[in-house]
Amino acid sequence: MLLTEYQRPAALRRIGRSRLETWLKNRKVRNSRAVATAAVEAAQAQHTVVPSERIAAVMTAKLAKEVMALDQEIAETDALIEDRFGEHKHAEVIASMPGIGTLLGAEFIAHTGGDMTAFTSPDRLAGVAGLAPVPKDSGRISGNLRRPRRYNRRLLRVFYLSAQIAAQHCPTSKAFYARKKAEGKTHKQAVLALARRRLNVLWALIRDNRTFELTPPQSGSAAA
């Protein structure tokens, strides 16, 4: 926002901190006081006139406005995605999983249709998502596992990113992640293990048409 009007040090020195703060507040810029103070202080320390400064200022303003327009377009697209996601019959169930918001939920539906019967089992879904390792045995060596060569990387992204978020904010997932780290797993291995666990949970939730609960029912259903 600041770069759309005040690109040059001289302009910032003229307006001053107080008026710049008001200008930013009127445009709903967060931390307007801190931004105004930092900008004016930097301008007061800069008195060297750079060649072609005026041309550079015009270009900067143009680029800043283009970035703002792109941000607005992205926000509008996200809103459309959220609205469409909310129309799906399993939207509430999927979004109830810690770490899966409307955007990741929409991506999950886009790559699965939200219909788990198409995969016959959670193991099948895990294979499609690259979360079910396959044997990599050779000669006398056995027991080695690797990720399959063909899998849906976007679907893996949904489970991996949501697992990372849940490992920080969901008590059950945080405990599972910590347990895997204590077993000697790397961060990536622990997150993948958590993602696989959470895939089973999401499968069960969609199958039973129920939302996630930190304390699951006593029916033996898995917890995230």
Side-chain angles (χ1 to χ4, degrees):
M1 176 62 74
L2 184 62
L3 293 177
T4 61
E5 295 290 340
Y6 300 99
Q7 309 88 23
R8 304 170 65 190
L12 290 168
R13 289 195 295 269
R14 283 196 300 270
I15 191 173
R17 187 199 63 78
S18 179
R19 285 193 296 160
L20 181 59
E21 179 183 345
T22 301
W23 185 86
L24 291 170
K25 280 183 178 179
N26 291 339
R27 286 155 182 79
K28 299 180 180 181
V29 175
R30 289 181 296 178
N31 302 318
S32 55
R33 173 172 293 184
V35 173
T37 300
V40 173
E41 287 180 352
Q44 290 173 342
Q46 174 65 45
H47 292 278
T48 302
V49 177
V50 179
S52 303
E53 184 180 277
R54 188 181 299 277
I55 296 175
V58 172
M59 294 177 62
T60 299
K62 181 180 179 180
L63 290 172
K65 290 176 181 178
E66 290 177 353
V67 170
M68 289 174 63
L70 181 59
D71 285 344
Q72 180 62 32
E73 185 176 341
I74 291 173
E76 292 172 356
T77 301
D78 285 348
L80 290 174
I81 292 173
E82 291 178 4
D83 288 343
R84 186 62 183 271
F85 169 71
E87 297 173 359
H88 194 276
K89 62 180 181 179
H90 294 310
E92 183 180 1
V93 173
I94 295 169
S96 73
M97 277 286 289
I100 299 185
T102 53
L103 294 180
L104 284 180
E107 192 168 351
F108 171 78
I109 289 176
H111 294 289
T112 64
D115 182 7
M116 298 300 95
T117 60
F119 297 93
T120 68
S121 71
D123 291 339
R124 172 60 179 162
L125 176 60
V128 173
L131 288 171
V134 298
K136 188 183 178 182
D137 300 337
S138 61
R140 298 180 180 179
I141 301 176
S142 62
N144 289 333
L145 298 174
R146 64 169 175 81
R147 186 178 300 156
R149 295 190 180 186
R150 294 185 178 182
Y151 60 93
N152 189 318
R153 285 169 170 75
R154 292 296 184 89
L155 195 52
L156 174 62
R157 174 181 177 275
V158 170
F159 284 106
Y160 189 86
L161 289 181
S162 66
Q164 280 191 309
I165 297 170
Q168 299 178 45
H169 303 289
C170 172
T172 310
S173 294
K174 186 182 296 186
F176 184 92
Y177 172 84
R179 186 161 68 250
K180 291 300 175 182
K181 288 286 289 182
E183 293 173 2
K185 303 289 187 182
T186 65
H187 169 73
K188 183 176 181 179
Q189 290 172 331
V191 172
L192 286 171
L194 176 58
R196 178 66 175 90
R197 177 69 168 171
R198 285 164 49 83
L199 181 149
N200 286 352
V201 176
L202 184 57
W203 173 280
L205 293 179
I206 294 175
R207 179 198 63 200
D208 300 339
N209 193 30
R210 61 182 176 84
T211 55
F212 176 85
E213 300 175 29
L214 281 177
T215 303
Q218 298 301 315
S219 59
S221 298

